[in-house]
Amino acid sequence: MTGPVRIAVDGELCIASGQCVLVAPDIFDQDDDGIAIVIDPDPAPGRQADLEDAANRCPARAIVIS
């Protein structure tokens, strides 16, 4: 994937495992219920590997990279 990267979390699918926060705490956080939220929706292109790692570790497949 080249060019700008956008990241989103489907809050309906998220099961609050926190794997994304462990991989990229500067991009993801969790709300009071533990549901993942994106704090940097337009991360630098150099973060692609971390984003893919976070998406792959998500047991609910709630992370969308476009």
Tab-separated table of all heavy atoms in Angstrom:
chain	number	residue	atom	x	y	z
A	1	MET	N	0.849	-1.172	0.000
A	1	MET	CA	0.000	0.000	0.000
A	1	MET	C	0.893	1.234	0.000
A	1	MET	O	1.799	1.344	0.800
A	1	MET	CB	-0.888	-0.035	1.255
A	1	MET	CG	-1.929	1.037	1.288
A	1	MET	SD	-3.042	0.909	2.722
A	1	MET	CE	-3.824	-0.649	2.422
A	2	THR	N	0.637	2.145	-0.913
A	2	THR	CA	1.409	3.372	-0.976
A	2	THR	C	0.483	4.563	-0.840
A	2	THR	O	-0.716	4.448	-1.012
A	2	THR	CB	2.175	3.463	-2.312
A	2	THR	OG1	1.233	3.433	-3.374
A	2	THR	CG2	3.173	2.333	-2.464
A	3	GLY	N	1.057	5.731	-0.544
A	3	GLY	CA	0.258	6.928	-0.379
A	3	GLY	C	-0.289	7.041	1.022
A	3	GLY	O	0.087	6.280	1.919
A	4	PRO	N	-1.192	7.995	1.220
A	4	PRO	CA	-1.765	8.195	2.559
A	4	PRO	C	-2.503	6.960	3.062
A	4	PRO	O	-3.147	6.261	2.293
A	4	PRO	CB	-2.739	9.357	2.365
A	4	PRO	CG	-2.338	10.004	1.087
A	4	PRO	CD	-1.701	8.930	0.248
A	5	VAL	N	-2.368	6.715	4.332
A	5	VAL	CA	-3.015	5.573	4.968
A	5	VAL	C	-4.057	6.103	5.948
A	5	VAL	O	-3.796	7.030	6.697
A	5	VAL	CB	-1.983	4.717	5.729
A	5	VAL	CG1	-2.660	3.598	6.483
A	5	VAL	CG2	-0.953	4.173	4.778
A	6	ARG	N	-5.249	5.507	5.905
A	6	ARG	CA	-6.294	5.864	6.868
A	6	ARG	C	-6.613	4.614	7.678
A	6	ARG	O	-6.580	3.513	7.165
A	6	ARG	CB	-7.535	6.382	6.163
A	6	ARG	CG	-7.238	7.668	5.408
A	6	ARG	CD	-8.330	8.695	5.316
A	6	ARG	NE	-9.326	8.745	6.331
A	6	ARG	CZ	-9.343	9.631	7.343
A	6	ARG	NH1	-8.376	10.471	7.491
A	6	ARG	NH2	-10.342	9.645	8.191
A	7	ILE	N	-6.934	4.847	8.929
A	7	ILE	CA	-7.216	3.734	9.834
A	7	ILE	C	-8.518	4.027	10.577
A	7	ILE	O	-8.807	5.165	10.909
A	7	ILE	CB	-6.040	3.533	10.816
A	7	ILE	CG1	-6.213	2.286	11.654
A	7	ILE	CG2	-5.829	4.708	11.699
A	7	ILE	CD1	-5.622	1.089	11.066
A	8	ALA	N	-9.304	2.994	10.797
A	8	ALA	CA	-10.559	3.133	11.526
A	8	ALA	C	-10.804	1.860	12.317
A	8	ALA	O	-10.258	0.801	12.006
A	8	ALA	CB	-11.717	3.377	10.563
A	9	VAL	N	-11.617	1.987	13.357
A	9	VAL	CA	-12.022	0.837	14.166
A	9	VAL	C	-13.537	0.741	14.125
A	9	VAL	O	-14.236	1.733	14.340
A	9	VAL	CB	-11.555	0.982	15.630
A	9	VAL	CG1	-12.126	-0.137	16.488
A	9	VAL	CG2	-10.044	1.011	15.721
A	10	ASP	N	-14.036	-0.444	13.843
A	10	ASP	CA	-15.478	-0.689	13.897
A	10	ASP	C	-15.821	-1.000	15.352
A	10	ASP	O	-15.560	-2.103	15.840
A	10	ASP	CB	-15.845	-1.858	12.984
A	10	ASP	CG	-17.335	-2.114	12.928
A	10	ASP	OD1	-18.056	-1.773	13.905
A	10	ASP	OD2	-17.780	-2.674	11.918
A	11	GLY	N	-16.361	-0.012	16.040
A	11	GLY	CA	-16.688	-0.144	17.452
A	11	GLY	C	-17.719	-1.211	17.751
A	11	GLY	O	-17.791	-1.723	18.867
A	12	GLU	N	-18.521	-1.573	16.752
A	12	GLU	CA	-19.512	-2.632	16.933
A	12	GLU	C	-18.852	-4.010	16.970
A	12	GLU	O	-19.352	-4.925	17.619
A	12	GLU	CB	-20.551	-2.583	15.807
A	12	GLU	CG	-21.390	-1.325	15.797
A	12	GLU	CD	-22.300	-1.234	17.007
A	12	GLU	OE1	-22.919	-2.250	17.371
A	12	GLU	OE2	-22.387	-0.139	17.590
A	13	LEU	N	-17.725	-4.148	16.280
A	13	LEU	CA	-17.011	-5.426	16.260
A	13	LEU	C	-15.994	-5.560	17.394
A	13	LEU	O	-15.697	-6.666	17.829
A	13	LEU	CB	-16.275	-5.605	14.928
A	13	LEU	CG	-17.125	-5.782	13.680
A	13	LEU	CD1	-16.231	-5.867	12.448
A	13	LEU	CD2	-17.988	-7.020	13.796
A	14	CYS	N	-15.447	-4.447	17.846
A	14	CYS	CA	-14.369	-4.456	18.838
A	14	CYS	C	-14.806	-5.188	20.113
A	14	CYS	O	-15.898	-4.960	20.630
A	14	CYS	CB	-13.956	-3.025	19.164
A	14	CYS	SG	-12.633	-2.911	20.388
A	15	ILE	N	-13.925	-6.070	20.614
A	15	ILE	CA	-14.211	-6.806	21.846
A	15	ILE	C	-13.309	-6.358	22.998
A	15	ILE	O	-13.214	-7.028	24.012
A	15	ILE	CB	-14.111	-8.324	21.628
A	15	ILE	CG1	-12.696	-8.716	21.193
A	15	ILE	CG2	-15.164	-8.792	20.635
A	15	ILE	CD1	-12.451	-10.219	21.205
A	16	ALA	N	-12.632	-5.231	22.820
A	16	ALA	CA	-11.837	-4.599	23.880
A	16	ALA	C	-10.644	-5.432	24.336
A	16	ALA	O	-10.283	-5.415	25.504
A	16	ALA	CB	-12.738	-4.232	25.063
A	17	SER	N	-9.998	-6.118	23.410
A	17	SER	CA	-8.828	-6.916	23.793
A	17	SER	C	-7.594	-6.051	24.020
A	17	SER	O	-6.671	-6.466	24.717
A	17	SER	CB	-8.528	-7.980	22.728
A	17	SER	OG	-7.970	-7.382	21.576
A	18	GLY	N	-7.545	-4.878	23.381
A	18	GLY	CA	-6.441	-3.955	23.592
A	18	GLY	C	-5.171	-4.277	22.831
A	18	GLY	O	-4.147	-3.632	23.025
A	19	GLN	N	-5.209	-5.241	21.946
A	19	GLN	CA	-4.007	-5.609	21.191
A	19	GLN	C	-3.497	-4.453	20.336
A	19	GLN	O	-2.289	-4.254	20.204
A	19	GLN	CB	-4.272	-6.835	20.327
A	19	GLN	CG	-4.579	-8.081	21.118
A	19	GLN	CD	-3.431	-8.455	22.041
A	19	GLN	OE1	-2.311	-8.668	21.601
A	19	GLN	NE2	-3.716	-8.512	23.324
A	20	CYS	N	-4.397	-3.687	19.766
A	20	CYS	CA	-3.990	-2.561	18.929
A	20	CYS	C	-3.243	-1.504	19.742
A	20	CYS	O	-2.258	-0.927	19.274
A	20	CYS	CB	-5.192	-1.943	18.224
A	20	CYS	SG	-6.514	-1.406	19.322
A	21	VAL	N	-3.682	-1.287	20.969
A	21	VAL	CA	-3.029	-0.299	21.832
A	21	VAL	C	-1.635	-0.768	22.218
A	21	VAL	O	-0.700	0.043	22.301
A	21	VAL	CB	-3.887	-0.023	23.091
A	21	VAL	CG1	-3.197	0.963	24.008
A	21	VAL	CG2	-5.261	0.487	22.696
A	22	LEU	N	-1.466	-2.045	22.413
A	22	LEU	CA	-0.142	-2.579	22.727
A	22	LEU	C	0.834	-2.384	21.567
A	22	LEU	O	2.007	-2.102	21.780
A	22	LEU	CB	-0.236	-4.063	23.081
A	22	LEU	CG	-0.942	-4.396	24.380
A	22	LEU	CD1	-1.099	-5.906	24.518
A	22	LEU	CD2	-0.211	-3.819	25.565
A	23	VAL	N	0.353	-2.538	20.349
A	23	VAL	CA	1.199	-2.423	19.167
A	23	VAL	C	1.480	-0.967	18.802
A	23	VAL	O	2.608	-0.622	18.459
A	23	VAL	CB	0.548	-3.142	17.961
A	23	VAL	CG1	1.309	-2.873	16.685
A	23	VAL	CG2	0.450	-4.631	18.224
A	24	ALA	N	0.467	-0.119	18.886
A	24	ALA	CA	0.607	1.271	18.441
A	24	ALA	C	-0.144	2.222	19.378
A	24	ALA	O	-1.199	2.751	19.034
A	24	ALA	CB	0.102	1.409	17.014
A	25	PRO	N	0.393	2.464	20.576
A	25	PRO	CA	-0.302	3.307	21.554
A	25	PRO	C	-0.418	4.775	21.151
A	25	PRO	O	-1.238	5.499	21.733
A	25	PRO	CB	0.536	3.144	22.823
A	25	PRO	CG	1.888	2.750	22.336
A	25	PRO	CD	1.644	1.936	21.094
A	26	ASP	N	0.348	5.195	20.180
A	26	ASP	CA	0.230	6.572	19.695
A	26	ASP	C	-0.840	6.710	18.611
A	26	ASP	O	-1.191	7.817	18.218
A	26	ASP	CB	1.573	7.079	19.179
A	26	ASP	CG	2.151	6.199	18.086
A	26	ASP	OD1	1.983	4.967	18.150
A	26	ASP	OD2	2.779	6.746	17.166
A	27	ILE	N	-1.388	5.597	18.158
A	27	ILE	CA	-2.445	5.614	17.143
A	27	ILE	C	-3.783	5.168	17.725
A	27	ILE	O	-4.826	5.688	17.368
A	27	ILE	CB	-2.059	4.726	15.942
A	27	ILE	CG1	-0.795	5.299	15.280
A	27	ILE	CG2	-3.205	4.613	14.936
A	27	ILE	CD1	-0.219	4.435	14.195
A	28	PHE	N	-3.741	4.206	18.648
A	28	PHE	CA	-4.967	3.661	19.244
A	28	PHE	C	-5.017	3.934	20.743
A	28	PHE	O	-3.990	4.010	21.405
A	28	PHE	CB	-5.030	2.138	19.038
A	28	PHE	CG	-5.033	1.710	17.614
A	28	PHE	CD1	-3.864	1.313	16.990
A	28	PHE	CD2	-6.210	1.678	16.884
A	28	PHE	CE1	-3.856	0.896	15.666
A	28	PHE	CE2	-6.215	1.271	15.558
A	28	PHE	CZ	-5.034	0.880	14.949
A	29	ASP	N	-6.230	4.016	21.256
A	29	ASP	CA	-6.482	4.092	22.690
A	29	ASP	C	-7.772	3.313	22.928
A	29	ASP	O	-8.344	2.758	21.998
A	29	ASP	CB	-6.612	5.543	23.144
A	29	ASP	CG	-6.399	5.727	24.640
A	29	ASP	OD1	-6.216	4.713	25.366
A	29	ASP	OD2	-6.396	6.872	25.102
A	30	GLN	N	-8.203	3.261	24.175
A	30	GLN	CA	-9.464	2.600	24.503
A	30	GLN	C	-10.333	3.559	25.283
A	30	GLN	O	-9.836	4.316	26.129
A	30	GLN	CB	-9.203	1.339	25.328
A	30	GLN	CG	-8.561	0.235	24.501
A	30	GLN	CD	-8.211	-0.965	25.337
A	30	GLN	OE1	-7.248	-0.908	26.095
A	30	GLN	NE2	-8.958	-2.047	25.195
A	31	ASP	N	-11.638	3.512	25.016
A	31	ASP	CA	-12.566	4.364	25.761
A	31	ASP	C	-12.846	3.741	27.128
A	31	ASP	O	-12.223	2.735	27.497
A	31	ASP	CB	-13.843	4.619	24.958
A	31	ASP	CG	-14.723	3.396	24.735
A	31	ASP	OD1	-14.515	2.353	25.404
A	31	ASP	OD2	-15.631	3.480	23.893
A	32	ASP	N	-13.736	4.330	27.882
A	32	ASP	CA	-14.020	3.852	29.236
A	32	ASP	C	-14.555	2.424	29.284
A	32	ASP	O	-14.448	1.754	30.306
A	32	ASP	CB	-15.009	4.791	29.929
A	32	ASP	CG	-14.407	6.150	30.225
A	32	ASP	OD1	-13.161	6.256	30.284
A	32	ASP	OD2	-15.177	7.117	30.393
A	33	ASP	N	-15.111	1.956	28.173
A	33	ASP	CA	-15.622	0.582	28.100
A	33	ASP	C	-14.597	-0.382	27.512
A	33	ASP	O	-14.881	-1.561	27.334
A	33	ASP	CB	-16.895	0.531	27.252
A	33	ASP	CG	-18.042	1.288	27.901
A	33	ASP	OD1	-18.171	1.221	29.142
A	33	ASP	OD2	-18.801	1.949	27.165
A	34	GLY	N	-13.411	0.134	27.183
A	34	GLY	CA	-12.366	-0.699	26.617
A	34	GLY	C	-12.402	-0.819	25.104
A	34	GLY	O	-11.549	-1.473	24.514
A	35	ILE	N	-13.387	-0.199	24.481
A	35	ILE	CA	-13.510	-0.247	23.023
A	35	ILE	C	-12.409	0.613	22.405
A	35	ILE	O	-12.169	1.739	22.830
A	35	ILE	CB	-14.897	0.237	22.567
A	35	ILE	CG1	-15.990	-0.631	23.204
A	35	ILE	CG2	-15.010	0.255	21.049
A	35	ILE	CD1	-15.924	-2.096	22.864
A	36	ALA	N	-11.754	0.062	21.394
A	36	ALA	CA	-10.655	0.779	20.738
A	36	ALA	C	-11.163	2.016	20.021
A	36	ALA	O	-12.243	2.015	19.428
A	36	ALA	CB	-9.949	-0.141	19.756
A	37	ILE	N	-10.353	3.068	20.099
A	37	ILE	CA	-10.605	4.292	19.358
A	37	ILE	C	-9.312	4.685	18.658
A	37	ILE	O	-8.220	4.342	19.109
A	37	ILE	CB	-11.106	5.436	20.263
A	37	ILE	CG1	-10.121	5.710	21.395
A	37	ILE	CG2	-12.494	5.138	20.801
A	37	ILE	CD1	-10.456	6.930	22.239
A	38	VAL	N	-9.446	5.373	17.561
A	38	VAL	CA	-8.289	5.840	16.808
A	38	VAL	C	-8.002	7.270	17.232
A	38	VAL	O	-8.867	8.136	17.141
A	38	VAL	CB	-8.555	5.775	15.291
A	38	VAL	CG1	-7.363	6.309	14.509
A	38	VAL	CG2	-8.871	4.356	14.875
A	39	ILE	N	-6.795	7.504	17.727
A	39	ILE	CA	-6.421	8.862	18.123
A	39	ILE	C	-5.584	9.552	17.056
A	39	ILE	O	-5.349	10.753	17.139
A	39	ILE	CB	-5.727	8.887	19.500
A	39	ILE	CG1	-4.502	7.985	19.530
A	39	ILE	CG2	-6.717	8.498	20.592
A	39	ILE	CD1	-3.712	8.032	20.829
A	40	ASP	N	-5.142	8.809	16.048
A	40	ASP	CA	-4.421	9.370	14.907
A	40	ASP	C	-4.937	8.693	13.643
A	40	ASP	O	-4.381	7.695	13.191
A	40	ASP	CB	-2.914	9.171	15.051
A	40	ASP	CG	-2.122	9.822	13.935
A	40	ASP	OD1	-2.727	10.473	13.060
A	40	ASP	OD2	-0.888	9.674	13.931
A	41	PRO	N	-6.035	9.215	13.044
A	41	PRO	CA	-6.642	8.555	11.895
A	41	PRO	C	-5.828	8.636	10.606
A	41	PRO	O	-6.111	7.919	9.653
A	41	PRO	CB	-7.984	9.272	11.739
A	41	PRO	CG	-7.752	10.618	12.337
A	41	PRO	CD	-6.780	10.402	13.462
A	42	ASP	N	-4.822	9.508	10.564
A	42	ASP	CA	-3.982	9.661	9.374
A	42	ASP	C	-2.517	9.479	9.750
A	42	ASP	O	-1.726	10.418	9.681
A	42	ASP	CB	-4.193	11.041	8.742
A	42	ASP	CG	-5.615	11.246	8.264
A	42	ASP	OD1	-6.093	10.388	7.503
A	42	ASP	OD2	-6.238	12.245	8.656
A	43	PRO	N	-2.128	8.274	10.163
A	43	PRO	CA	-0.734	8.065	10.592
A	43	PRO	C	0.250	8.209	9.438
A	43	PRO	O	-0.117	8.083	8.270
A	43	PRO	CB	-0.746	6.640	11.132
A	43	PRO	CG	-1.884	5.985	10.444
A	43	PRO	CD	-2.911	7.051	10.207
A	44	ALA	N	1.483	8.467	9.788
A	44	ALA	CA	2.544	8.610	8.791
A	44	ALA	C	2.676	7.327	7.975
A	44	ALA	O	2.489	6.229	8.503
A	44	ALA	CB	3.860	8.923	9.490
A	45	PRO	N	3.006	7.453	6.696
A	45	PRO	CA	3.154	6.266	5.844
A	45	PRO	C	4.156	5.252	6.411
A	45	PRO	O	4.001	4.060	6.203
A	45	PRO	CB	3.635	6.837	4.509
A	45	PRO	CG	3.097	8.224	4.491
A	45	PRO	CD	3.158	8.691	5.923
A	46	GLY	N	5.139	5.693	7.143
A	46	GLY	CA	6.122	4.784	7.717
A	46	GLY	C	5.572	3.880	8.807
A	46	GLY	O	6.252	2.964	9.275
A	47	ARG	N	4.339	4.084	9.215
A	47	ARG	CA	3.710	3.284	10.270
A	47	ARG	C	2.931	2.106	9.723
A	47	ARG	O	2.265	1.392	10.462
A	47	ARG	CB	2.772	4.160	11.106
A	47	ARG	CG	3.421	5.317	11.823
A	47	ARG	CD	4.537	4.889	12.766
A	47	ARG	NE	4.143	3.868	13.718
A	47	ARG	CZ	3.561	4.102	14.891
A	47	ARG	NH1	3.314	5.313	15.272
A	47	ARG	NH2	3.246	3.100	15.687
A	48	GLN	N	3.004	1.858	8.437
A	48	GLN	CA	2.226	0.800	7.798
A	48	GLN	C	2.426	-0.560	8.468
A	48	GLN	O	1.460	-1.285	8.706
A	48	GLN	CB	2.584	0.719	6.307
A	48	GLN	CG	1.765	-0.283	5.538
A	48	GLN	CD	0.309	0.113	5.404
A	48	GLN	OE1	-0.018	1.296	5.406
A	48	GLN	NE2	-0.557	-0.862	5.313
A	49	ALA	N	3.652	-0.913	8.802
A	49	ALA	CA	3.910	-2.221	9.410
A	49	ALA	C	3.217	-2.339	10.760
A	49	ALA	O	2.634	-3.383	11.077
A	49	ALA	CB	5.412	-2.460	9.549
A	50	ASP	N	3.248	-1.275	11.558
A	50	ASP	CA	2.569	-1.298	12.859
A	50	ASP	C	1.062	-1.415	12.694
A	50	ASP	O	0.394	-2.127	13.450
A	50	ASP	CB	2.894	-0.040	13.664
A	50	ASP	CG	4.322	-0.010	14.153
A	50	ASP	OD1	4.933	-1.090	14.312
A	50	ASP	OD2	4.840	1.101	14.381
A	51	LEU	N	0.519	-0.712	11.710
A	51	LEU	CA	-0.927	-0.770	11.477
A	51	LEU	C	-1.358	-2.168	11.038
A	51	LEU	O	-2.368	-2.693	11.522
A	51	LEU	CB	-1.335	0.256	10.425
A	51	LEU	CG	-1.100	1.708	10.795
A	51	LEU	CD1	-1.460	2.605	9.626
A	51	LEU	CD2	-1.870	2.082	12.033
A	52	GLU	N	-0.590	-2.765	10.155
A	52	GLU	CA	-0.917	-4.118	9.714
A	52	GLU	C	-0.785	-5.108	10.863
A	52	GLU	O	-1.597	-6.024	10.990
A	52	GLU	CB	-0.023	-4.509	8.542
A	52	GLU	CG	-0.367	-3.759	7.278
A	52	GLU	CD	0.568	-4.057	6.127
A	52	GLU	OE1	1.433	-4.950	6.247
A	52	GLU	OE2	0.431	-3.385	5.091
A	53	ASP	N	0.221	-4.909	11.714
A	53	ASP	CA	0.398	-5.774	12.885
A	53	ASP	C	-0.803	-5.641	13.820
A	53	ASP	O	-1.356	-6.633	14.297
A	53	ASP	CB	1.694	-5.421	13.603
A	53	ASP	CG	2.069	-6.414	14.689
A	53	ASP	OD1	1.558	-7.554	14.684
A	53	ASP	OD2	2.892	-6.046	15.546
A	54	ALA	N	-1.228	-4.407	14.072
A	54	ALA	CA	-2.386	-4.182	14.943
A	54	ALA	C	-3.632	-4.833	14.356
A	54	ALA	O	-4.394	-5.497	15.075
A	54	ALA	CB	-2.613	-2.680	15.145
A	55	ALA	N	-3.841	-4.657	13.059
A	55	ALA	CA	-5.017	-5.254	12.411
A	55	ALA	C	-4.968	-6.778	12.473
A	55	ALA	O	-5.984	-7.430	12.731
A	55	ALA	CB	-5.123	-4.773	10.972
A	56	ASN	N	-3.804	-7.338	12.262
A	56	ASN	CA	-3.663	-8.795	12.300
A	56	ASN	C	-3.843	-9.366	13.703
A	56	ASN	O	-4.319	-10.494	13.857
A	56	ASN	CB	-2.306	-9.218	11.742
A	56	ASN	CG	-2.220	-9.037	10.248
A	56	ASN	OD1	-3.222	-9.093	9.546
A	56	ASN	ND2	-1.021	-8.791	9.749
A	57	ARG	N	-3.468	-8.609	14.723
A	57	ARG	CA	-3.612	-9.085	16.105
A	57	ARG	C	-5.028	-8.930	16.645
A	57	ARG	O	-5.365	-9.533	17.660
A	57	ARG	CB	-2.659	-8.321	17.020
A	57	ARG	CG	-1.220	-8.673	16.814
A	57	ARG	CD	-0.359	-7.811	17.708
A	57	ARG	NE	1.035	-8.016	17.447
A	57	ARG	CZ	1.905	-8.429	18.351
A	57	ARG	NH1	1.507	-8.692	19.581
A	57	ARG	NH2	3.162	-8.584	18.031
A	58	CYS	N	-5.830	-8.117	15.989
A	58	CYS	CA	-7.198	-7.873	16.470
A	58	CYS	C	-8.028	-9.144	16.332
A	58	CYS	O	-8.303	-9.592	15.214
A	58	CYS	CB	-7.836	-6.746	15.680
A	58	CYS	SG	-9.546	-6.416	16.180
A	59	PRO	N	-8.454	-9.739	17.453
A	59	PRO	CA	-9.222	-10.985	17.361
A	59	PRO	C	-10.599	-10.814	16.745
A	59	PRO	O	-11.163	-11.772	16.226
A	59	PRO	CB	-9.315	-11.460	18.816
A	59	PRO	CG	-9.125	-10.249	19.638
A	59	PRO	CD	-8.234	-9.332	18.842
A	60	ALA	N	-11.117	-9.590	16.753
A	60	ALA	CA	-12.440	-9.340	16.190
A	60	ALA	C	-12.384	-8.806	14.768
A	60	ALA	O	-13.418	-8.599	14.145
A	60	ALA	CB	-13.197	-8.340	17.075
A	61	ARG	N	-11.178	-8.579	14.255
A	61	ARG	CA	-10.987	-8.000	12.919
A	61	ARG	C	-11.740	-6.679	12.788
A	61	ARG	O	-12.391	-6.396	11.776
A	61	ARG	CB	-11.410	-8.972	11.821
A	61	ARG	CG	-10.645	-10.265	11.837
A	61	ARG	CD	-9.193	-10.020	11.469
A	61	ARG	NE	-8.422	-11.259	11.428
A	61	ARG	CZ	-7.320	-11.430	12.136
A	61	ARG	NH1	-6.873	-10.503	12.937
A	61	ARG	NH2	-6.650	-12.551	12.032
A	62	ALA	N	-11.648	-5.846	13.823
A	62	ALA	CA	-12.383	-4.585	13.866
A	62	ALA	C	-11.605	-3.413	13.278
A	62	ALA	O	-12.150	-2.330	13.144
A	62	ALA	CB	-12.762	-4.262	15.321
A	63	ILE	N	-10.347	-3.622	12.916
A	63	ILE	CA	-9.513	-2.541	12.397
A	63	ILE	C	-9.556	-2.550	10.876
A	63	ILE	O	-9.347	-3.584	10.241
A	63	ILE	CB	-8.071	-2.681	12.899
A	63	ILE	CG1	-8.048	-2.565	14.423
A	63	ILE	CG2	-7.174	-1.628	12.250
A	63	ILE	CD1	-6.715	-2.847	15.037
A	64	VAL	N	-9.823	-1.376	10.305
A	64	VAL	CA	-9.914	-1.216	8.863
A	64	VAL	C	-8.803	-0.271	8.416
A	64	VAL	O	-8.716	0.849	8.895
A	64	VAL	CB	-11.296	-0.646	8.444
A	64	VAL	CG1	-11.352	-0.457	6.939
A	64	VAL	CG2	-12.405	-1.530	8.938
A	65	ILE	N	-7.969	-0.734	7.495
A	65	ILE	CA	-6.906	0.088	6.920
A	65	ILE	C	-7.270	0.342	5.467
A	65	ILE	O	-7.590	-0.570	4.733
A	65	ILE	CB	-5.548	-0.633	6.983
A	65	ILE	CG1	-5.186	-0.989	8.422
A	65	ILE	CG2	-4.459	0.228	6.347
A	65	ILE	CD1	-3.969	-1.885	8.545
A	66	SER	N	-7.216	1.621	5.078
A	66	SER	CA	-7.510	1.938	3.674
A	66	SER	C	-6.534	2.972	3.157
A	66	SER	O	-5.797	3.564	3.878
A	66	SER	CB	-8.933	2.436	3.527
A	66	SER	OG	-9.178	3.567	4.317
